Amino acid sequence: MKKISVTVWNEYFHEVEDAAIGKIYPDGIHGCIAGFLKEAGMDVRTATLKEPEHGLTDEVLNSTDVLIWWGHMRHGEVCDDVVEKVHKRVKQGMGLIVLHSGHASKIFGRICGTNTGELKWREDGGKEILWLVDPTHPIADGLPEKIVIEHEEMYGELFGIPEPDALVFISWFEGGEVFRSGCCFHRGMGKIFYFRPGHESFPNYFHKDVQKVIINAVKWAAPAQLPVITGGKSEPAFVK
Ligand code: ZN
């Protein structure tokens, strides 16, 4: 069976500019995510902001089944042409997984059509519990009813997204806030999953259950062998 082809995109500035964060993710956040996806049997490439076309050339995008997106400080530097191409590929069937502060990225804003940058946040390193609210969803496969993360940044509602097609996780935070942490959307032939954890100053992409969610999400979002669909003026499907 053909392996799922994943491209992990990371802005890749925090890890380079801040020694403490570089120590948590010596190979970058993208390197950490690529590592556990490879171990799960996937074909994985990485791409970063500074590369020509941010590493997302036509060749890369056209051979990517699922694109993972982590960005934070430099959303504005992502070239609109690249965003346009990613958006087009998603509508054609490429899966997209948007992580943590990718909520405010150009591509997620384009997908959602709402102000996805709106939410509450507090970088206090308190506890987060992600409660599984859709245990029958493929992304929930093999997971416990709750994922406990000892130290994370808080994100609180109201989150400026459209109504998700499926809500898989809701987070609780020590300050009393709640957040829709695992949200599925469909756009055209493409499946999109937003997953909340992954602030750069905590090592949470090494958390086994967080990894399991991302692995499951890649499998869920990978395009099936799509049938050829034709539109426009059409003859009756049955001849009387
Ligand atoms: Zn953050």
Side-chain angles (χ1 to χ4, degrees):
M1 209 170 105
K2 182 185 164 286
K3 287 183 176 182
I4 300 173
S5 171
V6 187
T7 302
V8 184
W9 190 89
N10 180 16
E11 177 183 276
Y12 196 35
F13 272 85
H14 286 293
E15 304 95 315
V16 176
E17 293 183 348
D18 185 326
I21 293 165
K23 210 172 160 188
I24 296 170
Y25 292 111
D27 301 320
I29 286 173
H30 54 300
C32 172
I33 294 171
F36 67 75
L37 292 178
K38 277 179 197 162
E39 270 179 34
M42 294 166 187
D43 228 343
V44 189
R45 287 174 292 201
T46 61
T48 57
L49 182 69
K50 275 187 178 168
E51 293 171 47
E53 297 181 63
H54 314 316
L56 300 174
T57 60
D58 287 345
E59 194 192 343
V60 169
L61 285 175
N62 289 337
S63 57
T64 294
D65 295 318
V66 180
L67 177 65
I68 296 182
W69 196 276
W70 197 101
H72 181 216
M73 293 191 290
R74 313 268 177 145
H75 293 312
E77 292 177 27
V78 177
C79 170
D80 290 335
D81 290 349
V82 172
V83 175
E84 183 63 41
K85 281 195 292 185
V86 171
H87 191 200
K88 190 175 163 204
R89 279 283 296 136
V90 170
K91 288 187 286 185
Q92 287 171 345
M94 181 180 75
L96 177 68
I97 296 170
V98 176
L99 297 172
H100 188 59
S101 43
H103 70 86
S105 64
K106 286 183 181 180
I107 184 59
F108 193 52
R110 182 81 71 90
I111 296 274
C112 288
T114 53
N115 191 355
T116 54
E118 284 178 2
L119 48 73
K120 294 181 177 67
W121 60 273
R122 185 174 57 251
E123 206 181 326
D124 62 356
K127 186 183 282 192
E128 173 177 11
I129 299 176
L130 293 109
W131 289 96
L132 185 55
V133 293
D134 188 352
T136 65
H137 197 281
I139 293 175
D141 187 48
L143 286 162
E145 67 166 357
K146 64 179 189 291
I147 298 172
V148 180
I149 299 178
E150 291 300 331
H151 303 288
E152 250 295 357
E153 178 183 22
M154 183 282 293
Y155 276 9
E157 297 281 348
L158 187 68
F159 185 17
I161 51 170
E163 184 76 14
D165 298 318
L167 181 61
V168 186
F169 297 101
I170 294 175
S171 283
W172 164 95
F173 293 90
E174 282 194 278
E177 297 87 356
V178 294
F179 193 76
R180 288 169 288 174
S181 278
C183 305
C184 299
F185 304 92
H186 292 77
R187 294 290 184 272
M189 297 287 182
K191 294 180 189 172
I192 301 106
F193 182 59
Y194 172 79
F195 188 48
R196 199 216 75 85
H199 186 66
E200 66 279 358
S201 58
F202 305 108
N204 291 328
Y205 291 123
F206 292 99
H207 189 302
K208 290 295 171 199
D209 289 340
V210 168
Q211 295 182 354
K212 178 85 176 147
V213 172
I214 295 171
I215 292 165
N216 287 351
V218 168
K219 291 178 183 169
W220 168 78
Q225 192 70 42
L226 296 169
V228 177
I229 310 287
T230 51
K233 187 170 185 245
S234 185
E235 297 301 320
F238 300 103
V239 180
K240 283 181 186 169

